[in-house]
Amino acid sequence: MTKKIAVLPGDGIGPEIITEALKVLYFLNTDMNLGLEFEHGLIGGCAYDVYGTPFPETTLALAKAADAILFGAVGGVKWESLDIALRPEKGLLGLRSELQLFANLRPAKLFPQLAHASTLKPEVVAGLDIMIVRELTGGIYFGQPRGIRLLANNERQGFNTLVYSESEIERIAHCAFKIAQQRQSKLCSVDKANVLESTELWREVMITVSHHYPDVQLSHLYVDNAAMQLVRAPTQFDVIVTTNMFGDILSDTAAMLTGSIGMLPSASLDANNKGMYEPIHGSAPDIAGKGIANPLATILSAAMLLRYSLAMLPAAERIEQAVASVLDAHLRTQDIYSEGMQKVSTQAMGDAVLAQLQKGE
Ligand code: IPM
Ligand code: MG
């Protein structure tokens, strides 16, 4: 049976890193007879340039029809002055919301080979393996009302709404507890229940849902403390579950613990494990076109795609092992480079992963 993959490279370094991930997927598709079919679409700034919208109907249709989506990155200086509704990020947010990809899995796992690339001491990050489960289709990102309004005194006022309904919290809670069960069975829910009612409810629902998972140890942290703990003693965490905006912020922090945000993949899943897979980093317009971006986060996102949406575990594992092997061979893009290593381009890194796979390792 064929499986359709929608490929949305997007803007900035998106196309460069997707090219490398596709090299890997094309090879495994043939080598392991996976039956994958690929179809490309436009999203973000490049879609705006062609269609006048960052999220064209054709792209939505392509994504809906696909079994999984491989996504690069969106955004760039060129589109920054557009109305917020037309900015590239709306393409990404639209996709998340239209496909109800409410569960965003953001693993922050340290490759031991990169312990010295972290800005934290190697002994602080040694063994780091955190899974951040970020709620992705609710909260302040989507809450209504929102906008910029004119007050009676002619002053402008910006406003957004942080809302969470019980059912939204419940479904992300179940997802996080299930993931914790497959790991170290420790779940930390992050909120701001001391100030925000929406997250007071968040905490309450987390506790209620926890009764279905007596084997999982649930703890709670306020987001400010969680941010501090993440850089103080990050290995205390197994799974973290949190709101859309807190997850956005904490996942960037967690990413840096691993040495480079250029290493980390992510999955955004709906209730049936259909998903969109993307590197955690953005479009990095400052380095786009220079051939220096790290393609490993995207290559590892392709591995997550095979694992979570297509249940092709052996193929996923082959990719992950190939990535570990190129790191063992001391190949480094500039973001993870340190003395004594061999600095390579985006393309050379992709080629090296491919060569590992061709060796049958
Ligand atoms: C992310 C990004 C997005 C977000 C932006 C590009 C809209 O920062 O995926 O973390 O805020 O969710
Ligand atoms: Mg972010």
Side-chain angles (χ1 to χ4, degrees):
M1 216 175 66
T2 62
K3 295 284 180 190
K4 282 195 192 138
I5 317 270
V7 181
L8 307 176
D11 310 316
I13 59 170
E16 302 163 42
I17 53 180
I18 288 285
T19 300
E20 302 312 314
L22 286 178
K23 264 182 201 168
V24 166
L25 283 176
Y26 289 163
F27 171 74
L28 288 179
N29 195 23
T30 313
D31 196 54
M32 302 178 80
N33 222 343
L34 300 179
L36 308 179
E37 274 177 11
F38 301 86
E39 206 174 323
H40 281 66
L42 294 179
I43 194 150
C46 60
Y48 173 80
D49 288 346
V50 175
Y51 298 103
T53 162
F55 189 33
E57 282 296 323
T58 46
T59 301
L60 175 59
L62 175 72
K64 278 192 171 157
D67 295 289
I69 301 150
L70 186 64
F71 187 96
V74 289
V77 189
K78 185 176 167 195
W79 305 284
E80 265 168 19
S81 54
L82 286 174
D83 187 85
I84 201 163
L86 294 174
R87 284 199 210 139
E89 290 76 8
K90 277 287 167 194
L92 176 57
L93 296 170
L95 207 50
R96 290 174 179 171
S97 163
E98 286 287 337
L99 298 185
Q100 276 298 297
L101 305 171
F102 68 90
N104 185 207
L105 315 188
R106 298 192 158 189
K109 189 171 172 174
L110 181 78
F111 282 89
Q113 301 94 324
L114 297 182
H116 290 273
S118 174
T119 45
L120 268 71
K121 296 188 193 104
E123 63 268 28
V124 174
V125 292
L128 182 95
D129 183 0
I130 305 176
M131 176 66 90
I132 297 190
V133 180
R134 168 189 177 194
E135 198 292 325
L136 201 61
T137 51
I140 199 163
Y141 269 52
F142 294 95
Q144 295 289 346
R146 62 190 294 159
I148 299 175
R149 60 192 163 204
L150 196 61
L151 299 178
N153 67 359
N154 256 343
E155 188 189 4
R156 286 186 309 153
Q157 184 183 56
F159 59 103
N160 291 88
T161 306
L162 172 52
V163 277
Y164 269 114
S165 60
E166 279 181 296
S167 57
E168 280 178 303
I169 306 169
E170 266 163 26
R171 66 180 182 177
I172 194 71
H174 281 290
C175 168
F177 276 103
K178 286 187 181 127
I179 288 172
Q181 279 182 325
Q182 290 158 21
R183 297 173 44 106
Q184 305 302 313
S185 293
K186 273 170 57 186
L187 178 62
C188 178
S189 169
V190 173
D191 59 41
K192 191 73 187 174
N194 51 343
V195 179
L196 305 171
E197 287 84 352
S198 50
T199 69
E200 190 187 342
L201 181 68
W202 176 280
R203 186 176 287 217
E204 223 177 81
V205 174
M206 285 291 156
I207 293 169
T208 310
V209 173
S210 75
H211 299 137
H212 296 274
Y213 304 89
D215 51 326
V216 176
Q217 181 198 328
L218 174 68
S219 61
H220 307 271
L221 282 181
Y222 297 139
V223 64
D224 48 351
N225 189 11
M228 183 176 74
Q229 295 300 333
L230 265 178
V231 289
R232 191 187 74 85
T235 55
Q236 70 183 281
F237 295 107
D238 177 22
V239 181
I240 292 176
V241 62
T242 191
T243 64
N244 203 340
M245 188 161 72
F246 295 163
D248 179 44
I249 299 166
L250 294 181
S251 62
D252 270 26
T253 308
M256 247 354 260
L257 303 175
T258 68
S260 171
I261 197 166
M263 290 300 299
L264 297 182
S266 76
S268 305
L269 305 176
D270 74 4
N272 305 311
N273 279 350
K274 171 168 170 168
M276 176 164 82
Y277 298 81
E278 55 173 320
I280 286 186
H281 61 71
S283 57
D286 52 324
I287 60 163
K290 295 188 178 160
I292 57 174
N294 186 345
L296 294 180
T298 316
I299 291 174
L300 291 168
S301 297
M304 280 188 102
L305 181 155
L306 296 170
R307 182 186 300 276
Y308 287 95
S309 284
L310 305 184
M312 297 176 175
L313 268 59
E317 276 162 18
R318 278 184 74 182
I319 296 179
E320 285 154 2
Q321 273 160 23
V323 168
S325 297
V326 300
L327 294 176
D328 282 337
H330 296 163
L331 300 190
R332 303 284 188 271
T333 41
Q334 89 164 7
D335 55 310
I336 50 174
Y337 176 77
S338 59
E339 226 181 288
M341 300 292 130
Q342 186 190 339
K343 200 183 276 186
V344 296
S345 68
T346 309
Q347 193 188 336
M349 188 58 111
D351 287 343
V353 175
L354 179 64
Q356 278 300 327
L357 291 169
Q358 283 166 337
K359 272 203 248 167
E361 281 179 20

